[in-house]
């Protein structure tokens, strides 16, 4: 469906939603974030279908992280649902962190959650590094926090940094 709508993530979601509702049971749904990045301009076109919102860290000194909170329903929930496509300009020095809820929901042996604040702190501490180094810093922070406790959910993580 992305080939049919290469610049409209919201329309991709509508097509996938129709397919899911036609070929799956009503108990199944999908949360997904779809972003199309133009590396030369830094423009990110995206839609979010119930997925954990990505975080944007501005390269400007002293700036706070922002949630890319615009989102719609998960796919496969409602017939004829619509998803909006949003545009974001990623400027030099900006960092975007996309992750599943397995990161903030990771628990240590005391049943404490890693949470959003620890995630923000891990990124802030490493934000001057490369995207790969920021990703490793987040995963190291989660690993040190859980300290051997079993993970209850999957962890997926992507870090984009515009240089």
């Amino acid at each position: 469906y992305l080939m049919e709508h290469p610049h409209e993530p919201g329309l991709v979601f509508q097509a996938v939603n129709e397919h899911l509702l036609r070929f799956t049971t009503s108990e199944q749904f999908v949360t997904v974030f779809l972003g199309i990045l133009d590396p030369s301009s830094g423009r990110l076109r995206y839609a979010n279908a119930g997925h954990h919102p990505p975080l944007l860290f501005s390269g400007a000194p002293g700036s706070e992280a922002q949630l890319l909170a615009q989102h719609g329903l998960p796919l496969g929930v409602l017939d004829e649902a619509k998803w909006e496509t949003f545009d974001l300009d990623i400027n030099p020095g900006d960092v975007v962190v996309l992750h599943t809820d397995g990161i903030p929901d990771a628990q240590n042996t005391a049943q404490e959650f890693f949470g959003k604040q620890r995630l923000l702190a891990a990124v802030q501490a490493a934000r001057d590094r490369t995207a790969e180094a920021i990703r490793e810093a987040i995963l190291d922070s989660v690993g040190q926090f859980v300290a051997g406790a079993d993970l209850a959910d999957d962890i997926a993580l992507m870090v984009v940094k515009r240089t």
Side-chain angles (χ1 to χ4, degrees):
Y1 298 110
L2 184 58
M3 298 302 287
E4 294 174 22
H5 309 287
H7 304 290
E8 294 297 330
L11 294 178
V12 172
F13 285 175
Q14 286 176 242
V16 172
N17 188 61
E18 290 171 14
H19 182 87
L20 286 173
L21 289 171
R22 190 175 313 128
F23 296 108
T24 63
T25 64
S26 63
E27 299 87 39
Q28 296 176 320
F29 65 91
V30 177
T31 66
V32 62
F33 176 91
L34 173 59
I36 302 165
L37 177 63
D38 178 353
S40 62
S41 69
R43 169 70 45 107
L44 177 68
R45 298 208 75 190
Y46 71 92
N48 190 345
H51 194 63
H52 215 274
L55 296 163
L56 170 65
F57 294 81
S58 171
S63 61
E64 302 222 359
Q66 300 173 26
L67 284 176
L68 302 185
Q70 301 94 343
H71 60 66
L73 293 171
L75 304 179
V77 174
L78 289 178
D79 195 21
E80 299 182 24
K82 303 265 189 247
W83 290 266
E84 193 171 344
T85 296
F86 298 94
D87 290 311
L88 173 69
D89 290 321
I90 301 173
N91 298 308
D94 288 358
V95 176
V96 178
V97 177
L98 302 103
H99 60 90
T100 57
D101 58 357
I103 290 180
D105 292 350
Q107 290 182 308
N108 61 16
T109 55
Q111 306 283 311
E112 298 168 318
F113 289 100
F114 184 73
K116 179 182 168 189
Q117 292 306 316
R118 286 184 182 90
L119 173 58
L120 293 172
V123 176
Q124 291 289 12
R127 70 187 292 166
D128 292 334
R129 301 183 199 162
T130 65
E132 295 84 7
I134 295 168
R135 182 180 58 83
E136 288 303 315
I138 295 167
L139 294 175
D140 288 348
S141 184
V142 171
Q144 290 172 12
F145 176 78
V146 299
D150 291 333
L151 294 175
D153 202 351
D154 66 297
I155 289 181
L157 174 64
M158 178 190 290
V159 176
V160 176
K161 182 174 184 177
R162 184 158 185 221
T163 56

